[in-house]
Amino acid sequence: MISHRAPQPAPGSETGARSADRSVVVPAKVRVPPPAGMARERLAGLLEPAWSHRLTLVVGPAGCGKTTLLTQFATACSVPVLWYRAECSDGDAGALLAHLEAAARVALPIADAPWRSLGDAAHSLEGAVSDRLLLVLDDLHTLHGTDAERAIEQLLHYLPDAIAVLAGSRRPPAINLSRLRVAGMLMELGPDALRFRLWEVERLFREYYADPLSPEELAELARRTDGWPAVLHLFHLATRGCTRVERRRRIAVLGTRNPLVREYLVHNVLADLSTEAREFLLRSALLGRMSGAVCDALLDRQGSDRVLADLERLQLVSPQGEDDGWYRCHEVLRSHLATVLEEEEGEAWVREERRRAGSVLESAGADGDALAAYCAAEDWTAAGRLLGLRREAVVSDPGWWVDHLPDAILDEDPWVMLAAARRHRSAGRARTAVALYRRAEAAFGTASPSDTCRRERAGLTAWIDPHPAPAGGVPELLRAATLTGHRTPRGERGGPEAELIAGVAALLAGECAIATERLGAVLGGVEGSRGLHACVRLGHAIAAALSGDAAAATLLDTATEAAEREGFGWLAGLARAATAPLREAPLEARQGSGEDEDAGWGDGLRALLRGWAEAGRGEGDAEDLERARRRFDALQAPVLACWAGALEVLVRARRRPHGARAAAIRIERAARRLGVPGARCLALLALAELGEGGHREVATALARSCGLALPEAPPVPAPDRAADSAGPPVAPRCRVRISCLGGLVVSVGGRPVDLATLRPKVRSLLRILALHRGRAVHREVLVEALWPEADADTGTRNLQVAISSLRQVLDRGWRAQSVVREGGAYRLWVGPDDSVDLLAFEAAQAAAGAAHGRGDADAVRSACLQMLALYQGELLPEEGPAEWVVADREHRRTAAADAALMLAAVHADWHEWPDATRACERALSIDRDCDRAWRLLISLHERAGGVAEAARARRRYALLLAEVEVQS
């Protein structure tokens, strides 16, 4: 039978009075610090669900912004706050109790009786809290493994439901987090959530520091710091008043010659490490990538896997992509450690260790990292030997080592010339790359690599020659798509390269639905070419942006970061240009990389993206779009020229100048002739703006068939008098049902509401409100999720328009006001008789946790079956990887899988083997990578005597592991 062991009283929890009496309470530790740093609404939105969880953990390394976030959230919420900043000296449970009592007396009218135990604390808080209360525990890692930490675990079970606990820590606490997770009482934010996104770095320096960065500086600083908040701030302090040249130089030496950064790393990141961990990090810093075997070989030791796992828990190393067992140290920290080694051991010793690191990496098959190590060691003999052995493998993935090779090798070795040409191509320096391709081609002579040089040069020349060559390879076919539109047949399929070409051609034609389908089908499946994979990712993100997908900004951020990480500067520049209009951030006149100096594509594409965003706000610069149209005409790119002309005529039509009608008709005909339905939609919309009857309906229907979200100018919203009414709305006459698991479905009186008539952002607004299941959502959270980086006026206006559109559709069936305004927040009205699957799921989850706690197996079984019946699929899958839903989606998936495993355990206790194995299979259908489910399934078959079934389960598990190994 299921049993539950209640948490044991922490040492000192009941004798806390004596300890507390002796404890000296430091007022600064129970005082909420004043808010500092740039407010990031994205993070505030991520923390909003904290009120529905008992514990919210914010975990990350030193300087990642945990305290800043906790402070900003605590000062922004309009509820009493108990603040406690822990220190290593507070490990006694009595010290914890004394500080919590002091914090409570500051914030609440509690009774005079002192707290002598955790029970006293819970009882006192229960009586003092009438509504919500926030308890913040900062620097929780300082209590790791102490009596105070165990007391906190017990306190979490004693606190009333109205209290939410928000904790910041450098490592997960040693408490039973799995129990809280199963009960739906735990929310977790990791270091990836805390790091500054590229657009946040841009905003930080532009708005907060009033010291804007150039696009090149922004890209390099974001890459080297990986958005580490403390290092970004220290870089700003070190470069205030510097010239642009000096600032670029200091970016290059971050972590090595920056005294502020070095001091911070020494005292805040490395100081608390054990001697073993510090020496391990110091010696392994010369490796580009680390694995247990590689570190064992370099450091002549055993057990490096264990140390790497410990360092990962401390957030000092991170897994490298999907490569199982490979890690990377943060670039700034790695540079600092390498400099320390050089100072302690001398340049000659470090050079020899770098050479040894190259040899170890070469033996492990990490050729690119090995070559980089040889170049850093200036061991040109070893570098030349590796190039000679594995030329094609190394040259196919050129890294920064190319820039460090001596001229003698670069001028004599055609393979190195080819690598250098590819590196310049990736960075967007097209003319330099073409010249190197020619040199490599001549150096190879009649050898077969000469054909490779000739083919790649031809593909690149097609983009800088105003008279492109006939289509041949992938670059030429992509270039051909700019010459004439192409309607892709839906049924035909090809390989990844063919799908990429078809997807980009559909995107250029404005057929976003086909582009999303084709590019999404091969997303992550383009093998052998990082460049093609980067193109697929970027094309898929831009298609999402043009279709109005709420996840577009996140997809573009991911595409930007991936392109920069892989060294494709020109793709990263284009992704940044696409992201800025979505976030309504100002665009500089030139926002790209070196490709603009060679080909001029960047300026034209950025003008298109800017024009699209401004047209959707009723604005636009017709002259800027006219220049873009002429630029594309000069580049022999009539498809893009048609897009620029259509946006130009739409902007002019809204101002109703003379000749706008004739220009709109001319562009509409050109778009129809070229086969560019997207540009034709804009021309028809321009005619509708001029009063031409029937054109708006045609444009809307055509855009819907293409999956294109037209840039309609928002109407001026009418005063929202109904929303400002003081009284609650009249209850709906018809029962409303809202389902979010498996996709959003809204029905009123048994009839589903047709949501297809809503624009994508309005549908996303409905999903956000539904996700909060009847609770109010502040308008700032909604604006941040739907229109990131919008100013207050623009965001509020967009939200009012979206709310109005949503009400028009919902109120027809609701028979009452469906969306209610409450001060600065909105909520979806849910009546007492209405049904919301998320509420039912949470109730069943709480019932399962409670039943498990009291050992009631029948109740556990009933609650888990209810959870699994409600879990019809992932939470709001139509929103993709939108940041506002990802954490909730993962929590529901984990909870559903855990419910299936709890159900399997109940049936196993009752020896109901078939039901137990079916429950286990259900867990695997929800999360196929769940190791616990696989192990339990094998064990169940064995306990039931099913030797053959157990063997089959083992084989399935082995195949899964092999698949993961192959993918990694």
Side-chain angles (χ1 to χ4, degrees):
M1 298 291 291
I2 290 181
S3 62
H4 171 68
R5 183 171 61 87
Q8 297 301 310
S13 61
E14 297 302 327
T15 60
R18 292 188 297 274
S19 300
D21 289 342
R22 296 196 305 268
S23 300
V24 177
V25 175
V26 181
K29 292 162 62 174
V30 295
R31 185 187 308 129
V32 181
M38 184 184 78
R40 290 193 279 167
E41 293 79 4
R42 174 179 64 84
L43 294 183
L46 291 178
L47 278 184
E48 187 62 30
W51 298 111
S52 59
H53 296 81
R54 170 52 49 84
L55 174 63
T56 298
L57 270 178
V58 181
V59 181
C64 70
K66 301 183 296 298
T67 300
T68 299
L69 176 59
L70 268 56
T71 303
Q72 291 174 348
F73 187 78
T75 53
C77 65
S78 56
V79 302
V81 176
L82 274 62
W83 182 280
Y84 170 47
R85 177 175 57 82
E87 291 182 349
C88 296
S89 57
D90 298 343
D92 179 72
L96 167 74
L97 198 62
H99 280 88
L100 290 181
E101 181 182 2
R105 292 187 183 279
V106 171
L108 297 170
I110 64 173
D112 291 336
W115 293 359
R116 299 183 177 277
S117 68
L118 294 176
D120 289 346
H123 179 74
S124 179
L125 291 172
E126 183 90 46
V129 177
S130 58
D131 197 359
R132 297 193 301 191
L133 180 143
L134 181 66
L135 170 58
V136 181
L137 304 172
D138 196 16
D139 288 344
L140 186 58
H141 58 274
T142 61
L143 305 181
H144 188 76
T146 65
D147 291 348
E149 185 181 57
R150 290 185 283 274
I152 289 173
E153 179 174 15
Q154 188 176 8
L155 184 63
L156 289 173
H157 299 288
Y158 288 176
L159 290 177
D161 292 338
I163 299 180
V165 181
L166 180 60
S169 179
R170 294 185 187 179
R171 62 185 301 170
I175 66 177
N176 191 353
L177 296 178
S178 60
R179 182 173 184 271
L180 295 172
R181 195 176 289 119
V182 168
M185 301 167 66
L186 176 67
M187 185 173 78
E188 299 166 276
L189 267 65
D192 184 66
L194 297 173
R195 68 179 177 82
F196 272 72
R197 303 301 194 254
L198 183 71
W199 60 271
E200 290 175 322
V201 177
E202 188 273 337
R203 180 186 160 209
L204 176 71
F205 280 84
R206 172 172 50 84
E207 296 181 5
Y208 190 75
Y209 294 145
D211 189 15
L213 300 171
S214 70
E216 293 78 12
E217 292 170 336
L218 174 64
E220 182 65 12
L221 183 63
R223 183 190 69 80
R224 290 186 62 83
T225 63
D226 197 25
W228 195 346
V231 177
L232 289 171
H233 182 63
L234 293 172
F235 172 78
H236 164 66
L237 294 178
T239 57
R240 284 183 300 186
C242 290
T243 65
R244 190 169 294 271
V245 172
E246 176 63 15
R247 188 161 64 179
R248 288 182 181 178
R249 188 192 68 79
R250 294 197 180 190
I251 292 176
V253 296
L254 261 177
T256 57
R257 300 288 181 258
N258 187 318
L260 294 179
V261 173
R262 295 193 65 186
E263 181 182 2
Y264 183 85
L265 296 175
V266 169
H267 293 291
N268 296 279
V269 178
L270 301 174
D272 295 334
L273 287 180
S274 66
T275 302
E276 179 191 20
R278 182 186 179 279
E279 288 301 315
F280 181 92
L281 264 182
L282 190 62
R283 293 284 308 281
S284 61
L286 302 180
L287 294 165
R289 288 192 299 166
M290 297 177 284
S291 71
V294 166
C295 290
D296 282 345
L298 179 67
L299 307 182
D300 192 21
R301 55 164 292 157
Q302 297 295 321
S304 294
D305 281 324
R306 174 185 56 80
V307 181
L308 285 170
D310 290 341
L311 292 173
E312 182 187 4
R313 280 191 289 272
L314 293 172
Q315 315 295 327
L316 294 179
V317 299
S318 56
Q320 176 59 27
E322 298 179 356
D323 293 342
D324 185 30
W326 285 94
Y327 298 86
R328 275 197 188 276
C329 183
H330 194 285
E331 175 66 19
V332 171
L333 179 58
R334 190 194 64 77
S335 299
H336 164 71
L337 293 170
T339 302
V340 170
L341 264 182
E342 192 170 287
E343 292 171 350
E344 291 182 356
E345 304 291 347
E347 292 185 12
W349 185 90
V350 169
R351 192 156 43 254
E352 175 59 23
E353 282 298 290
R354 289 188 187 277
R355 189 199 63 75
R356 287 187 61 240
S359 178
V360 170
L361 288 165
E362 182 181 352
S363 299
D367 295 337
D369 292 289
L371 193 53
Y374 287 143
C375 290
E378 300 180 1
D379 188 346
W380 310 122
T381 302
R385 177 187 54 76
L386 181 56
L387 278 169
L389 289 173
R390 300 172 187 170
R391 292 177 184 271
E392 293 190 52
V394 174
V395 170
S396 65
D397 185 19
W400 64 267
W401 54 266
V402 175
D403 302 328
H404 293 267
L405 289 174
D407 292 340
I409 295 180
L410 182 60
D411 292 338
E412 296 176 5
D413 192 322
W415 286 98
V416 175
M417 295 178 197
L418 175 57
R422 287 173 173 172
R423 183 159 174 79
H424 284 294
R425 181 187 62 180
S426 298
R429 296 182 286 269
R431 297 193 185 279
T432 303
V434 166
L436 280 167
Y437 273 123
R438 292 188 187 279
R439 289 177 56 194
E441 187 179 339
F444 278 122
T446 58
S448 58
S450 180
D451 295 333
T452 301
C453 298
R454 188 178 303 107
R455 183 174 62 252
E456 294 182 11
R457 176 175 57 81
L460 190 57
T461 303
W463 291 89
I464 60 177
D465 190 336
H467 304 287
V474 172
E476 295 97 316
L477 289 171
L478 291 175
R479 175 67 169 94
T482 67
L483 300 175
T484 182
H486 176 62
R487 299 190 65 86
T488 309
R490 291 181 181 271
E492 297 181 6
R493 284 289 185 267
E497 292 185 355
E499 291 296 286
L500 167 63
I501 294 165
V504 172
L507 177 60
L508 290 172
E511 296 177 315
C512 294
I514 297 177
T516 302
E517 177 189 0
R518 290 298 177 104
L519 296 173
V522 293
L523 193 63
V526 181
E527 307 223 346
S529 172
R530 294 179 300 111
L532 287 181
H533 185 269
C535 287
V536 169
R537 186 184 294 276
L538 178 57
H540 186 261
I542 292 179
L546 294 182
S547 65
D549 192 331
T554 301
L555 293 174
L556 282 166
D557 279 343
T558 303
T560 304
E561 293 165 4
E564 288 171 345
R565 186 172 57 249
E566 300 291 352
F568 293 97
W570 66 278
L571 283 177
L574 183 55
R576 287 196 301 273
T579 305
L582 279 179
R583 302 191 183 282
E584 300 184 17
L587 280 170
E588 298 181 12
R590 302 177 71 81
Q591 181 85 284
S593 299
E595 80 278 10
D596 293 347
E597 286 72 25
D598 282 330
W601 293 90
D603 282 343
L605 290 170
R606 280 190 294 278
L608 281 183
L609 293 165
R610 182 168 50 245
W612 181 274
E614 290 174 345
R617 300 196 293 266
E619 306 166 359
D621 186 341
E623 289 71 24
D624 189 32
L625 290 164
E626 181 183 5
R627 286 191 294 271
R629 174 173 57 80
R630 291 178 175 174
R631 184 176 293 110
F632 287 129
D633 280 335
L635 289 167
Q636 297 291 309
V639 169
L640 291 169
C642 190
W643 275 100
L647 278 170
E648 175 194 353
V649 78
L650 176 60
V651 171
R652 294 190 188 280
R654 288 172 176 168
R655 300 170 186 169
R656 287 174 167 74
H658 178 71
R661 181 179 180 277
I665 292 174
R666 185 174 64 254
I667 290 293
E668 192 274 336
R669 289 173 178 171
R672 196 186 324 162
R673 183 182 69 255
L674 284 168
V676 189
R680 187 182 172 215
C681 288
L682 298 178
L684 290 169
L685 193 59
L687 289 170
E689 294 284 347
L690 293 168
E692 296 282 336
H695 287 300
R696 188 177 301 276
E697 291 75 12
V698 175
T700 301
L702 182 58
R704 186 179 297 120
S705 69
C706 292
L708 187 68
L710 287 175
E712 296 266 14
V716 178
D720 198 0
R721 296 188 181 91
D724 289 328
S725 60
V730 179
R733 281 173 29 193
C734 301
R735 186 178 182 185
V736 176
R737 179 171 182 171
I738 302 172
S739 299
C740 297
L741 295 167
L744 181 65
V745 177
V746 179
S747 61
V748 180
R751 288 188 170 185
V753 177
D754 183 11
L755 305 178
T757 57
L758 296 172
R759 296 185 66 178
K761 288 216 181 268
V762 182
R763 289 200 297 269
S764 292
L765 170 64
L766 175 58
R767 293 180 191 123
I768 296 174
L769 294 174
L771 178 63
H772 285 77
R773 46 218 179 271
R775 292 196 296 269
V777 187
H778 199 276
R779 63 170 175 264
E780 292 179 1
V781 176
L782 295 171
V783 169
E784 171 62 24
L786 298 172
W787 300 279
E789 287 301 288
D791 59 75
D793 291 337
T794 302
T796 301
R797 183 183 64 191
N798 290 346
L799 180 60
Q800 288 176 342
V801 172
I803 290 288
S804 177
S805 300
L806 186 56
R807 285 176 177 153
Q808 288 175 12
V809 172
L810 294 183
D811 288 358
R812 288 195 293 254
W814 226 275
R815 307 297 184 193
Q817 189 177 321
S818 53
V819 181
V820 185
R821 180 175 172 182
E822 297 177 350
Y826 293 88
R827 69 183 175 93
L828 195 65
W829 173 252
V830 178
D833 296 326
D834 295 333
S835 169
V836 181
D837 64 347
L838 288 179
L839 290 174
F841 187 89
E842 290 169 354
Q845 185 178 8
H852 188 277
R854 62 177 183 269
D856 187 345
D858 283 317
V860 169
R861 176 182 176 276
S862 176
C864 289
L865 284 173
Q866 186 179 1
M867 289 176 66
L868 294 173
L870 289 165
Y871 192 79
Q872 295 298 310
E874 289 199 334
L875 175 66
L876 299 176
E878 54 269 70
E879 284 296 335
E883 290 187 350
W884 56 264
V885 75
V886 168
D888 274 296
R889 181 184 295 153
E890 185 59 33
H891 288 317
R892 299 302 186 283
R893 183 193 299 123
T894 301
D898 287 343
L901 292 178
M902 291 173 67
L903 182 61
V906 170
H907 286 300
D909 284 344
W910 293 343
H911 297 280
E912 295 174 349
W913 308 117
D915 290 334
T917 54
R918 276 195 292 271
C920 226
E921 291 284 4
R922 178 66 193 279
L924 289 171
S925 71
I926 296 169
D927 184 3
R928 67 187 290 264
D929 297 325
C930 181
D931 290 320
R932 287 190 301 138
W934 283 109
R935 290 194 295 268
L936 180 57
L937 180 62
I938 295 168
S939 173
L940 289 173
H941 283 309
E942 290 175 341
R943 291 167 64 187
V947 178
E949 291 81 1
R952 279 196 292 272
R954 284 196 191 88
R955 285 196 295 272
R956 289 167 56 197
Y957 187 29
L959 286 173
L960 173 66
L961 295 176
E963 178 184 337
V964 172
E965 179 68 23
V966 169
Q967 291 175 351
S968 66

